[in-house]
Amino acid sequence: MASKLLRAVILGPPGSGKGTVSQRIAQNFGLQHLSSGHFLRENIKANTEVGDMAKQYIRKGLLVPDHVITRLMVSELENRSGQHWLLDGFPRTLVQAEALDRICELDLVITLNIPFETLKDRLSQHWVHPPSGRVYNLDFNPPHAHGIDDITGEPLVQQEDDKPKAVAARLRQYKDMAKPVIDLYKSQGVLYQFSGTETNKIWPYVYTLFSNKITSIESREAY
């Protein structure tokens, strides 16, 4: 793959604002935002072979194993070999990171370090309308009437995953899986860490980093 294309990864625990930061990077810098969750849903909906494999694990409440998610993401990346991209949700484990390393060289990996209490508070504000999948956040986009879906008037529920005890377990699990991935990228010299409690305060630093990276890649192109 040509080095002049920007290859980036964003890491962060559930509730870290990763999706928001990814969208802003995509909009400001013209990168394709490649979300593993989005590709999984698309493949499950289309009943592809890899989608059917993933569905069997998700149904049982299990994590999709490394070999399934890696196969899915590698084929998506091969289709986008001529684009700048930002990976979100992959790699989650060291095995996935090593598989990604074999097919391309990353320019930068950003990781969002958000205090545990902030994450716990954010995730506990998530309420969902199960039939449609509409998600509300009591802080950012609350429903017009508390506990009621805006469109259907049906009740909202808090998913088991977002209840305090489950949140603590999810965050611990993320930390355990992410540590070797973060250590790998740190050793490669491509890791940049951003800490804080507000996405809007972290964003200017992320913006500056990407501005500098894009410029240096464009100037390499000139030679």
Side-chain angles (χ1 to χ4, degrees):
M1 286 186 182
S3 62
K4 66 179 182 291
L5 289 164
L6 187 71
R7 305 284 183 235
V9 165
I10 184 166
L11 303 171
S16 62
K18 204 157 49 87
T20 305
V21 171
S22 297
Q23 282 164 358
R24 289 185 187 181
I25 291 169
Q27 284 161 0
N28 282 277
F29 300 104
L31 273 76
Q32 292 290 319
H33 172 206
L34 308 181
S35 154
S36 60
H38 171 74
F39 291 138
L40 264 178
R41 285 189 293 277
E42 294 281 293
N43 275 266
I44 288 168
K45 213 182 343 183
N47 292 320
T48 65
E49 188 190 344
V50 77
D52 288 343
M53 285 161 75
K55 191 158 54 180
Q56 290 168 23
Y57 293 96
I58 293 166
R59 265 202 198 121
K60 296 173 189 160
L62 302 169
L63 282 175
V64 179
D66 290 332
H67 71 277
V68 177
I69 197 78
T70 299
R71 184 172 148 192
L72 169 72
M73 294 308 290
V74 166
S75 85
E76 293 292 346
L77 293 177
E78 281 167 353
N79 294 338
R80 291 167 174 78
S81 58
Q83 300 169 345
H84 293 294
W85 48 247
L86 171 71
L87 276 178
D88 166 13
F90 178 87
R92 280 180 200 265
T93 66
L94 187 58
V95 171
Q96 293 173 17
E98 287 167 343
L100 180 61
D101 259 3
R102 287 194 287 276
I103 63 159
C104 70
E105 197 177 316
L106 295 173
D107 296 289
L108 76 158
V109 176
I110 62 174
T111 178
L112 305 177
N113 289 337
I114 314 296
F116 178 77
E117 285 306 316
T118 304
L119 294 172
K120 215 164 64 175
D121 290 347
R122 281 185 192 173
L123 290 167
S124 66
Q125 303 294 310
H126 275 192
W127 288 76
V128 180
H129 176 243
S132 67
R134 269 187 292 281
V135 177
Y136 295 86
N137 184 296
L138 301 188
D139 287 337
F140 307 123
N141 60 326
H144 300 318
H146 185 71
I148 301 293
D149 178 52
D150 289 349
I151 293 168
T152 63
E154 291 169 345
L156 300 175
V157 301
Q158 189 172 40
Q159 292 177 311
E160 288 302 320
D161 260 10
D162 294 329
K163 293 182 177 170
K165 198 181 274 186
V167 164
R170 277 170 77 193
L171 295 176
R172 269 197 307 275
Q173 184 188 41
Y174 170 80
K175 206 172 169 184
D176 292 345
M177 283 201 305
K179 191 184 180 314
V181 178
I182 288 169
D183 289 346
L184 173 72
Y185 291 135
K186 202 184 279 182
S187 73
Q188 292 177 354
V190 293
L191 186 78
Y192 297 83
Q193 305 197 49
F194 297 95
S195 303
T197 55
E198 291 175 47
T199 302
N200 284 341
K201 289 187 177 167
I202 291 172
W203 171 244
Y205 298 101
V206 176
Y207 181 88
T208 302
L209 171 67
F210 273 84
S211 300
N212 293 337
K213 275 285 172 191
I214 292 272
T215 311
S216 75
I217 277 175
E218 282 168 353
S219 62
R220 283 213 306 265
E221 243 179 279
Y223 290 102

